[in-house]
Amino acid sequence: MTSTRSLRVNRITCTGEGLCAELLPELIDLDEWGYPILKDRTVPDPLRTHARRAVAACPRLALHTDRGRP
C-alpha cells in the first residue's frame, strides 16, 4: 500500500524563482510576484516522480513533500 504525499512550501525560504511551477504546473501556479501557489497539496500517484524532481530542483530548498496518511 502506498502512502499519500503532500506538498508544502516554506514561504520564508522561497525567493520566487518559479522553477517549481515550470516543473510541476499541474499542482503549482505562481502569484503576480512569482511565488508559488499550491493548487492542491495532495500529490497524485502519477505525479510523484515530477514532484520529487521539482523538490530536488528548488534552488532554495523551499519546496517539500511530506508523507500523509495512507
Side-chain angles (χ1 to χ4, degrees):
M1 179 187 290
T2 61
S3 64
T4 60
R5 293 296 226 175
S6 61
L7 282 176
R8 67 182 170 88
V9 176
N10 182 331
R11 300 210 179 274
I12 294 171
T13 305
C14 181
T15 57
E17 302 286 328
L19 186 57
C20 57
E22 288 180 34
L23 295 172
L24 197 58
E26 300 87 349
L27 298 178
I28 302 173
D29 273 332
L30 297 177
D31 68 12
E32 61 267 23
W33 298 285
Y35 288 90
I37 298 171
L38 300 178
K39 297 178 194 178
D40 189 354
R41 293 186 187 278
T42 303
V43 179
D45 286 341
L47 294 177
R48 279 186 174 199
T49 301
H50 297 293
R52 282 194 296 268
R53 286 184 188 145
V55 167
C58 179
R60 300 293 297 172
L61 304 176
L63 185 66
H64 303 274
T65 59
D66 298 318
R67 264 186 215 165
R69 296 181 188 176

